[in-house]
Amino acid sequence: MYEKTFPNKRFKHTLQFLERHIKNSETILDLGVENPFSDIMKQRGFKVENTKGEDLDVDTSTIENSNASVVTAFEIFEHLLSPFTVLKSIRTDKLVASVPLKLWFSSAYRSNTDMLDRHYHEFEDWQFDWLLEKAGWKIIDRQKWTNPTKKIGIRPILRWFTPRYYIVYAERISK
């Protein structure tokens, strides 16, 4: 997954945001397989369990049966055909989730080698907000950041100014 690059800036911002809202004593169900960021959360003292790679569009049983007090979903919802179903199946009252934002100057990400590493959705912030609201969540805090590259060209320059990532802390208001 991170053969050539490691998203240090994204991980730094994500960790700072998570630590601002979630205590180390809370248990976390992290949607998606174990990954470098789940390891970072564990190193910082969080108690983290991951889903096992099941297709969350089809099988939400791990989410429904979890006793975690928080669900995290870092760059997961853009891969799902129906993130609404997953958001409705969450039993906890706390959610920290991030998504890549749709870039008007770049098409949606699509891996040619990994069928699971493709974006079905790339959200605008208002679309993700609306999805959360319809699924019964109230956004308490939000943040965006850019993802500049060191390449030359028009798109790399635009990445210095255009937010690429959007993270929210939300609490359940209805089930």
Side-chain angles (χ1 to χ4, degrees):
M1 179 185 224
Y2 298 113
E3 296 86 17
K4 297 178 184 164
T5 61
F6 197 75
N8 291 312
K9 181 178 181 181
R10 177 167 52 97
F11 284 2
K12 181 182 113 192
H13 284 291
T14 302
L15 185 61
Q16 288 171 347
F17 190 87
L18 180 68
E19 290 179 331
R20 187 164 59 236
H21 296 288
I22 306 303
K23 296 181 182 104
N24 291 56
S25 59
E26 297 183 82
T27 55
I28 295 174
L29 174 64
D30 185 33
L31 303 186
V33 296
E34 197 165 322
N35 59 75
F37 192 73
S38 7
D39 292 338
I40 290 169
M41 288 191 292
K42 289 174 186 173
Q43 290 167 8
R44 293 300 280 247
F46 289 101
K47 297 161 194 71
V48 181
E49 172 191 353
N50 286 81
T51 53
K52 306 298 181 227
E54 64 271 33
D55 184 343
L56 296 175
D57 277 317
V58 177
D59 180 5
T60 58
S61 60
T62 300
I63 299 167
E64 293 164 4
N65 295 322
S66 174
N67 291 320
S69 56
V70 179
V71 167
T72 58
F74 303 120
E75 286 78 53
I76 293 296
F77 291 125
E78 68 274 11
H79 298 277
L80 300 175
L81 298 176
S82 183
F84 179 81
T85 304
V86 171
L87 286 163
K88 288 295 281 183
S89 71
I90 296 171
R91 292 183 10 190
T92 69
D93 291 330
K94 294 180 181 181
L95 172 69
V96 180
S98 61
V99 293
L101 291 170
K102 182 177 181 356
L103 298 174
W104 59 270
F105 53 86
S106 183
S107 56
Y109 175 73
R110 179 180 170 197
S111 169
N112 291 324
T113 57
D114 184 351
M115 291 290 292
L116 299 176
D117 192 20
R118 295 179 175 182
H119 292 184
Y120 186 77
H121 305 276
E122 284 193 349
F123 299 92
E124 293 185 36
D125 56 356
W126 69 267
Q127 292 172 308
F128 193 59
D129 292 354
W130 189 26
L131 172 64
L132 290 167
E133 180 183 312
K134 284 196 69 126
W137 296 92
K138 178 182 179 186
I139 296 172
I140 307 300
D141 191 14
R142 57 176 58 95
Q143 184 179 352
K144 295 181 201 177
W145 63 88
T146 60
N147 189 41
T149 65
K150 293 180 178 156
K151 296 179 182 176
I152 297 173
I154 298 296
R155 287 196 282 185
I157 290 170
L158 291 171
R159 289 181 186 273
W160 281 87
F161 307 102
T162 307
R164 177 59 172 153
Y165 293 102
Y166 182 51
I167 192 167
V168 300
Y169 167 63
E171 294 181 354
R172 166 93 45 211
I173 54 174
S174 66
K175 294 197 185 217

